[in-house]
Amino acid sequence: MSVTLALTAGLGALAVLGVPFAFAIMGVSALALVLADIEPAFLAQQLIAGSQSFSLLAIPLFMLAGEIMSAGGMSQRLVEAAGTLVRHRTGGLAMVTVIAALIFSAISGSAPATTAAIGGIMIPAMVRAGYSAPFAASIAVSAGVLGPLIPPSIAFVIWGIVAEQSIGKLFLSGVVPGFAIAAGLLVICWWHARRHGVPKQPKADWAEIRRAFVAGRWALLSPILVLGGIYGGVFTPTEAAAMSCLYALVIGLLVERRIKLADLSGIVLGALRTSAMVTSIIAVSTGFGVLIAQEQIATSFASWLADNIQEKWMALAGLNIAFFLLAAVMDEIAIMVVLGPMLIAIANKFGVDPIHFGSMIVVNVAIGMAAPPIGYCLFVGMAISKQSLASITRAIWPQIIVMLIVLMLTTYIPEFALMLQ
């Protein structure tokens, strides 16, 4: 009982105190080892084991690819190409943000990277065009969360490792929910611009459209290279991440020539900072997960849930509510890794398809990236727009409602997520 208390209440207390999750997990794991009289070397062994997965290499590689492509101007090319198609419509400039983020998500796989790359260009442009700064930031933030849903997705890589499921199948399960959220965001862009009388932008002629797409061809080819290689059986998701980095380097250094060799150290360091945070949580959580399994916390909770909640739909609703509340105060990656065994045990108890369940989890993760008060993308949007958390929060609720509707569709209509399987 004391070990269980240390693992649950101890982690909760450290999280409330604001201790970084990697250190919090390591601390409670070490305390549990002492209480259980287990050799301390166990923690070091599990730390090494948790960082040895081949699939785990995809995370820093996709993050690095996103950083290189942003620095190399690919995000600017995507914005220009998308702008020629929809900027002249009601809400067109905000729609450009959504469409550019949708394409960039298929390059970076990361919500914060997508928000930063597209938001850095589009938030100032939207403000100049007559949109309010809070709304401009909220659209960039909500469009950024397409990153975890559109393949290749870092969140799906992590869940695939945790749940031991096919990463390729998980990638496909995020496409329809991702496009559904994008469609909902486009409607919000139109509604906001019409309600507030935001002026339309001039329509691009065919010559300008052609120039924009010719200039952006290298950026537009990147998702085809990565996803075509994965589903064509040419390489694994991890190898695809390495190819994405190589492609971005070649285009940035030799074709676009916007990156100098001297810039590479800063680009690599930027990617390392982000990926180190994610991979450290995954590594230290391996030992934590073994202790959770040893104490049978996950299976006991799943059994209790199955005994007390007979209806599958109620159990899934409870999981969604719990995940939404946890994501508001806890790191989404930590939730997936730390609570993964418990979530999987519950899904197994109620006979939920593991790929469908993975899609449901990652849609929750995407919402958490934009949900107040600690969504990563919110802070990126705040930094770019210089707006307060409160002002962006007031503006983003319509987008959050759209995401919750898509979450309900994903949860209760398995075919919605599994359509492309």
Side-chain angles (χ1 to χ4, degrees), residues 88-155:
H88 59 283
R89 301 187 181 277
T90 301
L93 206 59
M95 292 179 181
V96 171
T97 306
V98 177
I99 294 171
L102 187 67
I103 301 171
F104 193 80
S105 295
I107 296 173
S108 72
S110 165
T114 302
T115 303
I118 304 302
I121 299 166
M122 292 307 302
I123 291 175
M126 281 191 281
V127 172
R128 288 194 299 269
Y131 295 87
S132 69
F135 176 79
S138 74
I139 280 294
V141 168
S142 50
V145 303
L146 296 171
L149 292 170
I150 304 301
S153 157
I154 291 170

Short mmCIF file of all heavy atoms in Angstrom, two decimals, residues 88-155:
data_model
loop_
_atom_site.label_atom_id
_atom_site.label_comp_id
_atom_site.label_asym_id
_atom_site.label_seq_id
_atom_site.Cartn_x
_atom_site.Cartn_y
_atom_site.Cartn_z
N HIS A 88 -9.01 35.67 -50.94
CA HIS A 88 -10.02 36.61 -51.41
C HIS A 88 -11.41 36.31 -50.86
O HIS A 88 -12.34 37.07 -51.08
CB HIS A 88 -10.07 36.58 -52.94
CG HIS A 88 -10.40 35.23 -53.51
ND1 HIS A 88 -9.47 34.21 -53.57
CD2 HIS A 88 -11.56 34.70 -54.01
CE1 HIS A 88 -10.02 33.14 -54.09
NE2 HIS A 88 -11.29 33.41 -54.36
N ARG A 89 -11.58 35.21 -50.14
CA ARG A 89 -12.88 34.84 -49.62
C ARG A 89 -13.12 35.51 -48.26
O ARG A 89 -12.18 36.02 -47.64
CB ARG A 89 -12.98 33.32 -49.48
CG ARG A 89 -12.78 32.60 -50.80
CD ARG A 89 -13.05 31.12 -50.69
NE ARG A 89 -12.83 30.47 -51.98
CZ ARG A 89 -13.72 30.41 -52.97
NH1 ARG A 89 -14.89 31.00 -52.81
NH2 ARG A 89 -13.45 29.80 -54.10
N THR A 90 -14.37 35.51 -47.81
CA THR A 90 -14.68 36.04 -46.48
C THR A 90 -13.93 35.20 -45.44
O THR A 90 -14.09 33.98 -45.38
CB THR A 90 -16.19 35.97 -46.21
OG1 THR A 90 -16.89 36.72 -47.22
CG2 THR A 90 -16.52 36.52 -44.84
N GLY A 91 -13.08 35.86 -44.65
CA GLY A 91 -12.24 35.14 -43.69
C GLY A 91 -11.05 34.46 -44.33
O GLY A 91 -10.41 33.60 -43.73
N GLY A 92 -10.73 34.89 -45.56
CA GLY A 92 -9.71 34.19 -46.35
C GLY A 92 -8.34 34.14 -45.71
O GLY A 92 -7.67 33.11 -45.76
N LEU A 93 -7.89 35.25 -45.10
CA LEU A 93 -6.54 35.26 -44.54
C LEU A 93 -6.44 34.32 -43.34
O LEU A 93 -5.42 33.65 -43.14
CB LEU A 93 -6.15 36.69 -44.14
CG LEU A 93 -4.64 36.97 -44.13
CD1 LEU A 93 -4.04 36.73 -45.51
CD2 LEU A 93 -4.37 38.40 -43.69
N ALA A 94 -7.51 34.26 -42.53
CA ALA A 94 -7.53 33.30 -41.43
C ALA A 94 -7.56 31.87 -41.97
O ALA A 94 -6.92 30.97 -41.40
CB ALA A 94 -8.73 33.56 -40.52
N MET A 95 -8.28 31.67 -43.08
CA MET A 95 -8.31 30.34 -43.72
C MET A 95 -6.93 29.93 -44.21
O MET A 95 -6.57 28.75 -44.17
CB MET A 95 -9.29 30.34 -44.89
CG MET A 95 -10.75 30.46 -44.48
SD MET A 95 -11.82 30.47 -45.96
CE MET A 95 -13.43 30.65 -45.21
N VAL A 96 -6.15 30.91 -44.68
CA VAL A 96 -4.78 30.62 -45.11
C VAL A 96 -3.99 30.01 -43.96
O VAL A 96 -3.21 29.06 -44.14
CB VAL A 96 -4.08 31.90 -45.62
CG1 VAL A 96 -2.60 31.65 -45.86
CG2 VAL A 96 -4.74 32.40 -46.89
N THR A 97 -4.19 30.54 -42.76
CA THR A 97 -3.50 30.02 -41.57
C THR A 97 -3.82 28.55 -41.37
O THR A 97 -2.92 27.73 -41.11
CB THR A 97 -3.93 30.82 -40.32
OG1 THR A 97 -3.70 32.21 -40.56
CG2 THR A 97 -3.15 30.38 -39.09
N VAL A 98 -5.10 28.19 -41.48
CA VAL A 98 -5.52 26.81 -41.26
C VAL A 98 -4.96 25.89 -42.33
O VAL A 98 -4.41 24.81 -42.04
CB VAL A 98 -7.07 26.71 -41.23
CG1 VAL A 98 -7.51 25.25 -41.08
CG2 VAL A 98 -7.64 27.56 -40.10
N ILE A 99 -5.06 26.30 -43.60
CA ILE A 99 -4.60 25.45 -44.70
C ILE A 99 -3.08 25.27 -44.66
O ILE A 99 -2.56 24.16 -44.84
CB ILE A 99 -5.06 26.03 -46.05
CG1 ILE A 99 -6.59 25.98 -46.15
CG2 ILE A 99 -4.43 25.26 -47.22
CD1 ILE A 99 -7.15 26.72 -47.33
N ALA A 100 -2.36 26.37 -44.41
CA ALA A 100 -0.90 26.27 -44.32
C ALA A 100 -0.48 25.39 -43.15
O ALA A 100 0.46 24.59 -43.27
CB ALA A 100 -0.30 27.67 -44.17
N ALA A 101 -1.18 25.49 -42.02
CA ALA A 101 -0.88 24.65 -40.86
C ALA A 101 -1.17 23.19 -41.16
O ALA A 101 -0.43 22.29 -40.72
CB ALA A 101 -1.68 25.11 -39.64
N LEU A 102 -2.23 22.93 -41.92
CA LEU A 102 -2.58 21.56 -42.30
C LEU A 102 -1.45 20.92 -43.10
O LEU A 102 -1.07 19.76 -42.85
CB LEU A 102 -3.87 21.58 -43.12
CG LEU A 102 -4.52 20.24 -43.48
CD1 LEU A 102 -5.04 19.54 -42.24
CD2 LEU A 102 -5.65 20.45 -44.48
N ILE A 103 -0.89 21.67 -44.03
CA ILE A 103 0.20 21.13 -44.85
C ILE A 103 1.48 21.02 -44.03
O ILE A 103 2.20 20.01 -44.10
CB ILE A 103 0.43 22.00 -46.09
CG1 ILE A 103 -0.85 22.08 -46.94
CG2 ILE A 103 1.58 21.45 -46.94
CD1 ILE A 103 -0.79 23.11 -48.07
N PHE A 104 1.78 22.06 -43.22
CA PHE A 104 3.01 22.03 -42.44
C PHE A 104 2.98 20.92 -41.40
O PHE A 104 4.03 20.38 -41.03
CB PHE A 104 3.24 23.39 -41.77
CG PHE A 104 4.62 23.55 -41.21
CD1 PHE A 104 5.68 23.89 -42.03
CD2 PHE A 104 4.89 23.35 -39.86
CE1 PHE A 104 6.96 24.03 -41.54
CE2 PHE A 104 6.16 23.48 -39.35
CZ PHE A 104 7.21 23.82 -40.19
N SER A 105 1.78 20.56 -40.92
CA SER A 105 1.66 19.46 -39.96
C SER A 105 2.18 18.15 -40.55
O SER A 105 2.70 17.30 -39.84
CB SER A 105 0.20 19.28 -39.53
OG SER A 105 -0.26 20.40 -38.83
N ALA A 106 2.00 18.00 -41.87
CA ALA A 106 2.48 16.80 -42.54
C ALA A 106 3.99 16.82 -42.75
O ALA A 106 4.56 15.87 -43.28
CB ALA A 106 1.78 16.63 -43.89
N ILE A 107 4.63 17.91 -42.33
CA ILE A 107 6.09 18.02 -42.42
C ILE A 107 6.71 17.88 -41.03
O ILE A 107 7.67 17.15 -40.82
CB ILE A 107 6.49 19.38 -43.04
CG1 ILE A 107 6.00 19.48 -44.48
CG2 ILE A 107 8.00 19.57 -42.97
CD1 ILE A 107 6.20 20.84 -45.11
N SER A 108 6.13 18.59 -40.04
CA SER A 108 6.77 18.67 -38.72
C SER A 108 6.27 17.62 -37.73
O SER A 108 7.04 17.14 -36.90
CB SER A 108 6.54 20.05 -38.11
OG SER A 108 5.19 20.20 -37.71
N GLY A 109 4.97 17.27 -37.77
CA GLY A 109 4.41 16.32 -36.81
C GLY A 109 4.29 16.86 -35.41
O GLY A 109 3.98 16.13 -34.47
N SER A 110 4.50 18.16 -35.23
CA SER A 110 4.54 18.76 -33.89
C SER A 110 3.61 19.96 -33.83
O SER A 110 3.65 20.83 -34.71
CB SER A 110 5.97 19.20 -33.57
OG SER A 110 6.01 20.08 -32.47
N ALA A 111 2.78 20.02 -32.79
CA ALA A 111 1.85 21.15 -32.62
C ALA A 111 2.59 22.47 -32.33
O ALA A 111 2.32 23.48 -32.98
CB ALA A 111 0.83 20.84 -31.54
N PRO A 112 3.52 22.51 -31.35
CA PRO A 112 4.22 23.77 -31.09
C PRO A 112 5.02 24.27 -32.30
O PRO A 112 5.04 25.47 -32.58
CB PRO A 112 5.15 23.43 -29.92
CG PRO A 112 4.51 22.27 -29.25
CD PRO A 112 3.88 21.48 -30.35
N ALA A 113 5.65 23.34 -33.03
CA ALA A 113 6.43 23.74 -34.22
C ALA A 113 5.52 24.32 -35.30
O ALA A 113 5.86 25.32 -35.94
CB ALA A 113 7.20 22.53 -34.77
N THR A 114 4.34 23.72 -35.49
CA THR A 114 3.41 24.22 -36.49
C THR A 114 2.87 25.59 -36.10
O THR A 114 2.79 26.51 -36.92
CB THR A 114 2.25 23.22 -36.68
OG1 THR A 114 2.78 21.95 -37.06
CG2 THR A 114 1.27 23.70 -37.74
N THR A 115 2.52 25.74 -34.83
CA THR A 115 2.03 27.03 -34.34
C THR A 115 3.08 28.12 -34.53
O THR A 115 2.77 29.23 -34.97
CB THR A 115 1.63 26.93 -32.86
OG1 THR A 115 0.65 25.90 -32.70
CG2 THR A 115 1.06 28.25 -32.35
N ALA A 116 4.32 27.80 -34.18
CA ALA A 116 5.40 28.80 -34.29
C ALA A 116 5.69 29.15 -35.74
O ALA A 116 5.83 30.33 -36.09
CB ALA A 116 6.66 28.28 -33.60
N ALA A 117 5.78 28.12 -36.60
CA ALA A 117 6.16 28.36 -37.99
C ALA A 117 5.10 29.15 -38.75
O ALA A 117 5.40 30.11 -39.45
CB ALA A 117 6.42 27.02 -38.69
N ILE A 118 3.83 28.75 -38.61
CA ILE A 118 2.75 29.40 -39.34
C ILE A 118 2.28 30.66 -38.60
O ILE A 118 2.03 31.70 -39.21
CB ILE A 118 1.58 28.43 -39.56
CG1 ILE A 118 2.07 27.17 -40.30
CG2 ILE A 118 0.47 29.12 -40.34
CD1 ILE A 118 2.73 27.44 -41.64
N GLY A 119 2.16 30.57 -37.28
CA GLY A 119 1.70 31.71 -36.49
C GLY A 119 2.63 32.90 -36.58
O GLY A 119 2.20 34.06 -36.60
N GLY A 120 3.94 32.63 -36.63
CA GLY A 120 4.92 33.71 -36.72
C GLY A 120 4.73 34.57 -37.97
O GLY A 120 5.02 35.77 -37.97
N ILE A 121 4.23 33.95 -39.03
CA ILE A 121 3.98 34.69 -40.28
C ILE A 121 2.57 35.27 -40.30
O ILE A 121 2.35 36.43 -40.66
CB ILE A 121 4.16 33.74 -41.49
CG1 ILE A 121 5.58 33.19 -41.54
CG2 ILE A 121 3.81 34.45 -42.80
CD1 ILE A 121 5.76 32.02 -42.48
N MET A 122 1.59 34.46 -39.90
CA MET A 122 0.18 34.81 -40.13
C MET A 122 -0.44 35.69 -39.05
O MET A 122 -1.35 36.46 -39.35
CB MET A 122 -0.64 33.53 -40.27
CG MET A 122 -0.34 32.74 -41.53
SD MET A 122 -0.45 33.74 -43.05
CE MET A 122 -2.15 34.33 -42.95
N ILE A 123 -0.01 35.60 -37.80
CA ILE A 123 -0.63 36.44 -36.76
C ILE A 123 -0.44 37.92 -37.06
O ILE A 123 -1.41 38.69 -37.09
CB ILE A 123 -0.12 36.06 -35.36
CG1 ILE A 123 -0.64 34.67 -34.95
CG2 ILE A 123 -0.56 37.09 -34.31
CD1 ILE A 123 -0.10 34.16 -33.64
N PRO A 124 0.80 38.39 -37.33
CA PRO A 124 0.96 39.81 -37.69
C PRO A 124 0.20 40.18 -38.97
O PRO A 124 -0.38 41.27 -39.05
CB PRO A 124 2.48 39.96 -37.89
CG PRO A 124 3.09 38.82 -37.15
CD PRO A 124 2.10 37.70 -37.27
N ALA A 125 0.17 39.27 -39.95
CA ALA A 125 -0.53 39.56 -41.21
C ALA A 125 -2.04 39.69 -40.97
O ALA A 125 -2.69 40.58 -41.55
CB ALA A 125 -0.25 38.44 -42.22
N MET A 126 -2.60 38.83 -40.13
CA MET A 126 -4.05 38.91 -39.84
C MET A 126 -4.38 40.20 -39.09
O MET A 126 -5.41 40.83 -39.35
CB MET A 126 -4.49 37.68 -39.04
CG MET A 126 -4.69 36.44 -39.89
SD MET A 126 -5.51 35.10 -38.97
CE MET A 126 -4.14 34.47 -38.02
N VAL A 127 -3.53 40.59 -38.15
CA VAL A 127 -3.79 41.83 -37.40
C VAL A 127 -3.77 43.03 -38.34
O VAL A 127 -4.63 43.92 -38.26
CB VAL A 127 -2.75 41.98 -36.27
CG1 VAL A 127 -2.88 43.36 -35.61
CG2 VAL A 127 -2.94 40.88 -35.22
N ARG A 128 -2.80 43.06 -39.27
CA ARG A 128 -2.73 44.16 -40.24
C ARG A 128 -3.96 44.19 -41.14
O ARG A 128 -4.39 45.25 -41.60
CB ARG A 128 -1.47 44.03 -41.10
CG ARG A 128 -0.18 44.35 -40.36
CD ARG A 128 0.98 44.53 -41.34
NE ARG A 128 1.24 43.33 -42.11
CZ ARG A 128 2.09 42.37 -41.75
NH1 ARG A 128 2.75 42.48 -40.59
NH2 ARG A 128 2.28 41.31 -42.51
N ALA A 129 -4.56 43.00 -41.38
CA ALA A 129 -5.71 42.92 -42.28
C ALA A 129 -7.03 43.22 -41.59
O ALA A 129 -8.08 43.22 -42.25
CB ALA A 129 -5.77 41.53 -42.91
N GLY A 130 -7.01 43.46 -40.28
CA GLY A 130 -8.24 43.85 -39.60
C GLY A 130 -8.78 42.87 -38.60
O GLY A 130 -9.81 43.13 -37.97
N TYR A 131 -8.14 41.71 -38.43
CA TYR A 131 -8.56 40.76 -37.40
C TYR A 131 -8.06 41.23 -36.03
O TYR A 131 -6.98 41.84 -35.94
CB TYR A 131 -8.00 39.36 -37.67
CG TYR A 131 -8.53 38.71 -38.93
CD1 TYR A 131 -7.91 38.93 -40.16
CD2 TYR A 131 -9.63 37.86 -38.88
CE1 TYR A 131 -8.38 38.31 -41.32
CE2 TYR A 131 -10.10 37.24 -40.04
CZ TYR A 131 -9.49 37.47 -41.24
OH TYR A 131 -9.95 36.87 -42.38
N SER A 132 -8.80 40.92 -34.97
CA SER A 132 -8.31 41.25 -33.64
C SER A 132 -7.13 40.36 -33.31
O SER A 132 -7.05 39.20 -33.76
CB SER A 132 -9.42 41.04 -32.59
OG SER A 132 -9.71 39.67 -32.44
N ALA A 133 -6.20 40.89 -32.53
CA ALA A 133 -4.99 40.12 -32.17
C ALA A 133 -5.33 38.84 -31.41
O ALA A 133 -4.75 37.78 -31.69
CB ALA A 133 -4.03 40.99 -31.37
N PRO A 134 -6.27 38.87 -30.44
CA PRO A 134 -6.61 37.62 -29.75
C PRO A 134 -7.17 36.55 -30.69
O PRO A 134 -6.83 35.37 -30.57
CB PRO A 134 -7.65 38.06 -28.71
CG PRO A 134 -7.36 39.49 -28.47
CD PRO A 134 -6.92 40.03 -29.79
N PHE A 135 -8.04 36.96 -31.64
CA PHE A 135 -8.59 35.98 -32.58
C PHE A 135 -7.49 35.43 -33.48
O PHE A 135 -7.43 34.22 -33.75
CB PHE A 135 -9.70 36.59 -33.43
CG PHE A 135 -10.23 35.63 -34.47
CD1 PHE A 135 -11.12 34.63 -34.11
CD2 PHE A 135 -9.81 35.70 -35.80
CE1 PHE A 135 -11.58 33.72 -35.05
CE2 PHE A 135 -10.27 34.79 -36.74
CZ PHE A 135 -11.16 33.80 -36.36
N ALA A 136 -6.62 36.31 -33.98
CA ALA A 136 -5.52 35.87 -34.84
C ALA A 136 -4.66 34.83 -34.12
O ALA A 136 -4.29 33.79 -34.69
CB ALA A 136 -4.68 37.07 -35.28
N ALA A 137 -4.35 35.10 -32.85
CA ALA A 137 -3.54 34.16 -32.07
C ALA A 137 -4.31 32.86 -31.85
O ALA A 137 -3.73 31.76 -31.95
CB ALA A 137 -3.16 34.78 -30.74
N SER A 138 -5.62 32.95 -31.58
CA SER A 138 -6.41 31.75 -31.29
C SER A 138 -6.51 30.84 -32.51
O SER A 138 -6.50 29.61 -32.38
CB SER A 138 -7.80 32.13 -30.78
OG SER A 138 -8.62 32.62 -31.82
N ILE A 139 -6.61 31.43 -33.70
CA ILE A 139 -6.67 30.61 -34.92
C ILE A 139 -5.32 29.92 -35.17
O ILE A 139 -5.26 28.75 -35.55
CB ILE A 139 -7.08 31.47 -36.13
CG1 ILE A 139 -8.60 31.67 -36.14
CG2 ILE A 139 -6.65 30.84 -37.45
CD1 ILE A 139 -9.40 30.40 -36.37
N ALA A 140 -4.23 30.65 -34.96
CA ALA A 140 -2.90 30.04 -35.14
C ALA A 140 -2.69 28.90 -34.15
O ALA A 140 -2.13 27.85 -34.50
CB ALA A 140 -1.81 31.10 -34.97
N VAL A 141 -3.14 29.10 -32.91
CA VAL A 141 -2.99 28.07 -31.87
C VAL A 141 -3.83 26.85 -32.22
O VAL A 141 -3.35 25.71 -32.18
CB VAL A 141 -3.40 28.62 -30.49
CG1 VAL A 141 -3.54 27.50 -29.46
CG2 VAL A 141 -2.38 29.65 -30.01
N SER A 142 -5.11 27.07 -32.57
CA SER A 142 -5.99 25.93 -32.85
C SER A 142 -5.60 25.23 -34.15
O SER A 142 -5.75 24.01 -34.26
CB SER A 142 -7.45 26.39 -32.90
OG SER A 142 -7.62 27.50 -33.74
N ALA A 143 -5.09 25.96 -35.14
CA ALA A 143 -4.60 25.32 -36.36
C ALA A 143 -3.32 24.54 -36.08
O ALA A 143 -3.07 23.48 -36.69
CB ALA A 143 -4.35 26.35 -37.45
N GLY A 144 -2.52 25.02 -35.15
CA GLY A 144 -1.28 24.33 -34.79
C GLY A 144 -1.51 22.94 -34.24
O GLY A 144 -0.68 22.04 -34.43
N VAL A 145 -2.65 22.74 -33.56
CA VAL A 145 -2.88 21.42 -32.96
C VAL A 145 -3.23 20.35 -33.99
O VAL A 145 -3.41 19.19 -33.63
CB VAL A 145 -3.97 21.47 -31.86
CG1 VAL A 145 -3.63 22.47 -30.79
CG2 VAL A 145 -5.34 21.76 -32.45
N LEU A 146 -3.30 20.72 -35.27
CA LEU A 146 -3.40 19.70 -36.31
C LEU A 146 -2.11 18.87 -36.37
O LEU A 146 -2.13 17.75 -36.89
CB LEU A 146 -3.68 20.35 -37.66
CG LEU A 146 -5.02 21.10 -37.79
CD1 LEU A 146 -5.06 21.88 -39.10
CD2 LEU A 146 -6.18 20.14 -37.69
N GLY A 147 -1.01 19.43 -35.84
CA GLY A 147 0.28 18.74 -35.86
C GLY A 147 0.25 17.32 -35.30
O GLY A 147 0.82 16.40 -35.90
N PRO A 148 -0.42 17.09 -34.13
CA PRO A 148 -0.46 15.72 -33.61
C PRO A 148 -1.37 14.77 -34.38
O PRO A 148 -1.33 13.56 -34.16
CB PRO A 148 -1.01 15.92 -32.18
CG PRO A 148 -0.82 17.35 -31.86
CD PRO A 148 -0.91 18.06 -33.16
N LEU A 149 -2.23 15.29 -35.27
CA LEU A 149 -3.22 14.45 -35.94
C LEU A 149 -2.85 14.08 -37.37
O LEU A 149 -3.12 12.98 -37.83
CB LEU A 149 -4.59 15.17 -35.94
CG LEU A 149 -5.23 15.33 -34.57
CD1 LEU A 149 -6.44 16.25 -34.63
CD2 LEU A 149 -5.63 13.98 -34.00
N ILE A 150 -2.24 15.02 -38.09
CA ILE A 150 -1.90 14.77 -39.49
C ILE A 150 -0.55 14.04 -39.54
O ILE A 150 0.44 14.52 -38.99
CB ILE A 150 -1.82 16.08 -40.28
CG1 ILE A 150 -3.14 16.87 -40.16
CG2 ILE A 150 -1.49 15.80 -41.74
CD1 ILE A 150 -4.36 16.12 -40.66
N PRO A 151 -0.48 12.88 -40.17
CA PRO A 151 0.80 12.15 -40.20
C PRO A 151 1.85 12.89 -41.02
O PRO A 151 1.49 13.59 -41.97
CB PRO A 151 0.41 10.81 -40.86
CG PRO A 151 -0.84 11.09 -41.63
CD PRO A 151 -1.55 12.17 -40.87
N PRO A 152 3.14 12.74 -40.64
CA PRO A 152 3.67 11.96 -39.52
C PRO A 152 3.53 12.72 -38.21
O PRO A 152 3.86 13.91 -38.14
CB PRO A 152 5.14 11.79 -39.90
CG PRO A 152 5.46 13.02 -40.68
CD PRO A 152 4.21 13.39 -41.42
N SER A 153 3.05 12.06 -37.17
CA SER A 153 2.72 12.71 -35.92
C SER A 153 3.59 12.20 -34.79
O SER A 153 3.67 10.98 -34.57
CB SER A 153 1.24 12.46 -35.59
OG SER A 153 0.99 12.60 -34.22
N ILE A 154 4.22 13.12 -34.06
CA ILE A 154 5.05 12.72 -32.93
C ILE A 154 4.20 12.08 -31.83
O ILE A 154 4.60 11.10 -31.20
CB ILE A 154 5.83 13.93 -32.39
CG1 ILE A 154 6.89 14.37 -33.42
CG2 ILE A 154 6.48 13.62 -31.04
CD1 ILE A 154 7.55 15.68 -33.11
N ALA A 155 2.98 12.61 -31.61
CA ALA A 155 2.10 12.05 -30.58
C ALA A 155 1.74 10.60 -30.91
O ALA A 155 1.70 9.74 -30.00
CB ALA A 155 0.84 12.90 -30.46
#
